[in-house]
Structures are given as C-alpha cells and as structure tokens.
Amino acid sequence: MAVMGVQLVVSLLMASIMQKMAPHWSFARWLLCNGSLHRYKHPSEEELFALAGKQKPKSKRDRRINGVMDDKPSSVPRDIDLRLETSPITAIDALVLRYFLEYQWYVDFAVYSTFIYLFTEGYYCLVDPQKEANIGILWCLLTVIFSVYPSLTWAWFKVFFMVMRHYFRSEEGGERSVCLSFAFFFLLIAMVVLVIREDYLEFGLDAGLNNVSDNLEVFLKEQGWGDWTIPVTKLSVRLGLVALCSFIGACLTFPGLRLAQTHLDALKMVADRPLIQLRNRFLLGFEGKPALLLLHASFLAPVIVVLMWIKPISRDLLLHAPLGKETMQIMSDAAYNSFRLWTIVALCLLRLAVARHHLQAYLNLAERWVEQMKKEAGRITVLEIQQRITRIYCYVTVVSLQYLGPIILTLHCTLLLKTLGKGTCEPVQAPGLSVYPVLV
C-alpha cells in the first residue's frame, strides 16, 4: 500500500467488488426489479378470441388439410372488454430487455464512482496528501465520458450516444429531424452564451478561455509556430466548446421530451390514486399533494439550477438583498458557492427519489393504449395488440437510461466542479446579517 498509494488500492478494490458483486447485487437491477414496478402482460390469442365471443381458429396445418388456404391474420373487434394483467418486474424478466446490460453496467459504475469520490474527499480532509493525485476526479470524469460518448468501451457502453443512434436508425418517424433541429438550436444557444458578459451569466467562461488561450499561446511559441496560428487556435477552442455543447444538447433532446411526457403521466397517476405509495423509502408516507409537490419540484430542477448561475437573480439578490434604502447580506460568497453545490446534489437525489413514479407512469402507457383502442371502431389484428403491449415493456430500460443518465451526468459534473473549481461542500452557515447603506 505504501508503494501504490491508498487511493489506488481502494480503486482496485472497488473495481474488483464491482465485478464480483454484479451477479449477486446491483443497484440498477434493484431499482428496476425490486417488485415496486409492475408491467402489463400481453393477452394470449385464446383470451382475445374468448373476449370476442369466437373460437380459436384452426392451425395452418388443419386448414391446409381441409383445403382452406386463407393466410389472413386473425383479428378481433377493437371495442372488446380487454383488461390487462399486471406482474412485478423480476430480474429474469429484465434479462431479455434490450440494453439491460448496458443500463446495469452504467448505473452501477456511477454508484461505485460516487463511493470512491466520497472516500477520496474524506481521505483528503483527514490526511491532506500533497503529492497524490485525486483518483476520485478520474472516476467522475470517466462517468461523464461514458454518459455522453461510447469512449473506449464501445461494445459495452453507449448510453446517450447509443440511444440517439437508435433514433437515427428509426424509419418510423421524424426522430432524426428532431435530433438535428435541436442540435442546431443548442448550437445557437451556446454561441449566445459565449458572447454574454460575466455580469449576467456566472459561468466563468471568460477566465477559463483566457487561461486556455494563454497556455496555448506559450505552447505554440515554444514549438515555433507562427503568430497567425494563435488567433486560429483560440477560435478553434471556442468552436470546439460550442460543438460539444450542441452534441450534448442533441443527446439530451429525447431524454428531455421523455421526462416531460412521464411527468404528465405521473401527475395523472398520482391524481387518480391519491394514496399512492411506491415502496420507496424516500417517498414512503407521502400522499396526494406532497407527492405532487415533489414531482413538480423535480421537474423544475433544471430551471432552478440555471437560475442559480444568473448573477442578477441569484448572487446579487442573496448577497446584497434590498431592504428599503439599505442592502442586507444574507450569506458570504463562499457560503453561496457551497449552497449552489448542495442544491444541485439535493435536486439530483430528489430526481432519483421520484424515479419509480416516472417509470411506472411509462409502463402504464400499455393500459392507456388499450383504453384508447376500445373507443375506436373496426377490427385489429391479434398480433398488433400483442406487439404494442410488449413493445412498451421492452423499451423500459431505454426509458430508464433516458431518466437516470442526465441525473448521473449532472451529479458527477457537480462533483468535478467542486474539486477542480476548488469549491467546498461544507454545510452552509449563514453569517451574521450585515446591513449596508445604499446611496439613493
């Protein structure tokens, strides 16, 4: 341990635990298969014909023997009294789901990465090693890279890029056009953010870009490059940052649209069943209006995060709150920076707490589709009914990735901001309120 270092030993130990524990216990598998989520089973052909008041048609072999060569698919009236049976999602059921292994690997890696980061932060607080690199930063950075890009483990891992590629290959709708449209939209937003002054948006882009430009200028001069390469390199850095933001925005397009849809469905689900309790220890005991408030708060979390980095709305208001002709300082600069980080962590935990509401609301789409089918006239094939209901369940792991991916990405970016930005996550302690006169 003295040769390898404490952090490296703990990282190797955690990697071994992650590999050995995956078949026995997995947080991702527990989140999806602990019995709180219920899927809808598709009806069999016999059940559908019994509801339609018809006998099951003869097999193709019997019809061929009798000289009947009718290959028309079996169909039933749309307005049959169909009621779907439910069943808890088990680990055996989940193994056949598409992208389930990628989902399990990604979520478990993020959990172990968070544990290693917490250990390294505690290690630095107790020991304060000066010559050791913070390995927790490496784990968080790998989680961020795995979230956005397939990186080195293309065969195992795709996540956002994988899901977006799935939409690009789809030929049923305009998913490809939606992704491209939002990519150009976020490209425009990123270019606008670059030109806004730091007096309004507290992103620290000017200081960061100037630091990168100064280091590149020194490096290019040492390599003997001409002076004309310096402005080109500076422009390339800015364009690369804009392109990265556009790509991430395109990857988050469908997760955002999915979140909006499941949020509306979850609100309807809670309203229809005001005493809902989803066996989640974070939500156990919350009924009716408390559950609605938590759902609304989790949906507004991105807006809250953005507002905390708009200087006139957040920092100026809290640090110099107007009080008549005087201003009152509610907290210091360091306390406010800590407050922002704690707020993002709390909002991520809130999103995780209401995850089962959203996932169950998505699974309830099967029942909603059946209710909508009953209101329509005509006939529908048995195969189409079975495919529609089964397709919703088979897509649940993709929906889980779309929901949990942005949470994991935001949380680990916050942890990176705390460490690399020399921030602090110490509990916020408001200093004595200070009052300053204002010249009017």
Side-chain angles (χ1 to χ4, degrees):
M1 184 175 293
V3 177
M4 301 180 65
V6 177
Q7 297 185 78
L8 183 58
V9 171
V10 173
S11 296
L12 294 176
L13 179 62
M14 191 64 70
S16 178
I17 293 175
M18 180 175 61
Q19 181 183 5
K20 300 297 183 182
M21 286 295 293
H24 306 286
W25 186 87
S26 167
F27 177 77
R29 188 168 61 242
W30 172 83
L31 189 64
L32 199 63
C33 309
N34 65 348
S36 61
L37 296 177
H38 291 74
R39 66 183 182 94
Y40 289 88
K41 298 181 178 180
H42 66 81
S44 63
E45 190 174 8
E46 293 83 356
E47 294 174 349
L48 290 175
F49 277 101
L51 292 174
K54 298 170 56 179
Q55 294 182 353
K56 180 183 177 181
K58 297 181 179 180
S59 63
K60 291 184 177 180
R61 180 175 178 274
D62 295 336
R63 288 183 293 175
R64 191 181 300 112
I65 294 175
N66 295 331
V68 180
M69 301 298 296
D70 186 10
D71 293 334
K72 185 177 180 181
S74 304
S75 63
V76 294
R78 291 179 177 267
D79 57 350
I80 59 175
D81 188 17
L82 177 60
R83 298 185 183 276
L84 301 179
E85 297 181 1
T86 60
S87 174
I89 299 178
T90 62
I92 297 178
D93 297 333
L95 288 177
V96 300
L97 297 177
R98 191 176 187 183
Y99 302 138
F100 176 75
L101 296 179
E102 289 85 349
Y103 156 78
Q104 180 178 343
W105 199 96
Y106 171 61
V107 176
D108 289 344
F109 183 87
V111 171
Y112 287 108
S113 174
T114 305
F115 285 153
I116 291 180
Y117 178 85
L118 295 176
F119 169 80
T120 55
E121 288 299 306
Y123 177 70
Y124 268 75
C125 291
L126 296 176
V127 182
D128 192 20
Q130 298 294 333
K131 297 182 180 181
E132 292 187 24
N134 193 331
I135 292 187
I137 297 177
L138 177 62
W139 280 77
C140 290
L141 187 60
L142 286 175
T143 305
V144 172
I145 294 175
F146 289 157
S147 299
V148 178
Y149 194 70
S151 187
L152 301 177
T153 53
W154 175 263
W156 296 351
F157 227 18
K158 305 175 182 69
V159 191
F160 289 154
F161 189 85
M162 170 192 67
V163 175
M164 189 175 68
R165 189 182 64 172
H166 174 75
Y167 284 119
F168 263 77
R169 290 181 175 181
S170 176
E171 298 179 357
E172 296 181 357
E175 291 88 353
R176 187 181 310 170
S177 301
V178 173
C179 288
L180 293 176
S181 299
F182 274 90
F184 284 107
F185 172 74
F186 286 112
L187 179 70
L188 177 61
I189 295 297
M191 295 177 65
V192 171
V193 170
L194 281 179
V195 301
I196 296 179
R197 295 184 301 174
E198 292 290 332
D199 297 336
Y200 300 100
L201 292 180
E202 199 179 0
F203 292 161
L205 290 176
D206 292 342
L209 291 174
N210 291 334
N211 189 16
V212 172
S213 300
D214 294 339
N215 293 332
L216 284 175
E217 183 176 356
V218 174
F219 174 76
L220 292 175
K221 288 183 178 180
E222 291 178 352
Q223 299 298 322
W225 290 78
D227 295 337
W228 63 272
T229 60
I230 296 176
V232 174
T233 305
K234 293 181 179 179
L235 180 62
S236 300
V237 171
R238 294 177 179 269
L239 291 178
L241 182 61
V242 169
L244 177 63
C245 294
S246 175
F247 174 73
I248 295 177
C251 291
L252 294 176
T253 296
F254 278 99
L257 296 176
R258 176 68 64 184
L259 175 64
Q261 183 61 49
T262 55
H263 174 71
L264 293 176
D265 296 338
L267 292 177
K268 295 178 181 178
M269 182 180 66
V270 173
D272 294 338
R273 292 181 288 175
L275 299 181
I276 184 171
Q277 296 180 355
L278 291 183
R279 301 181 189 176
N280 191 330
R281 65 176 181 175
F282 296 107
L283 291 177
L284 192 60
F286 287 99
E287 303 175 356
K289 291 184 178 180
L292 290 175
L293 291 177
L294 290 178
L295 289 172
H296 284 301
S298 67
F299 183 73
L300 295 176
V303 179
I304 298 174
V305 173
V306 172
L307 290 179
M308 287 190 299
W309 264 263
I310 299 179
K311 195 172 182 181
I313 297 178
S314 57
R315 183 180 291 273
D316 293 345
L317 184 61
L318 293 177
L319 269 61
H320 303 287
L323 186 63
K325 295 183 178 180
E326 299 175 340
T327 60
M328 179 178 61
Q329 184 177 358
I330 300 178
M331 62 180 66
S332 62
D333 286 336
Y336 177 71
N337 293 332
S338 178
F339 169 75
R340 289 195 299 193
L341 298 179
W342 276 110
T343 302
I344 296 177
V345 172
L347 291 175
C348 291
L349 294 178
L350 177 61
R351 277 282 184 89
L352 182 62
V354 298
R356 290 176 186 165
H357 280 89
H358 288 267
L359 295 180
Q360 186 59 54
Y362 167 75
L363 292 171
N364 290 344
L365 289 178
E367 185 180 21
R368 179 182 300 182
W369 179 81
V370 170
E371 296 297 329
Q372 180 64 31
M373 182 192 67
K374 294 178 182 179
K375 300 177 182 179
E376 300 174 356
R379 303 180 66 85
I380 186 173
T381 61
V382 173
L383 182 60
E384 183 177 355
I385 295 177
Q386 295 174 340
Q387 287 180 343
R388 286 292 189 94
I389 297 173
T390 305
R391 188 181 303 170
I392 293 175
Y393 167 64
C394 292
Y395 199 68
V396 69
T397 48
V398 178
V399 176
S400 302
L401 282 173
Q402 290 178 336
Y403 185 86
L404 297 175
I407 300 176
I408 295 173
L409 178 63
T410 304
L411 177 61
H412 286 82
C413 285
T414 304
L415 299 179
L416 289 174
L417 176 62
K418 182 265 173 189
T419 303
L420 298 179
K422 297 180 180 180
T424 176
C425 278
E426 298 176 356
V428 178
Q429 296 179 355
L433 298 179
S434 303
V435 180
Y436 303 96
V438 176
L439 296 178
V440 293

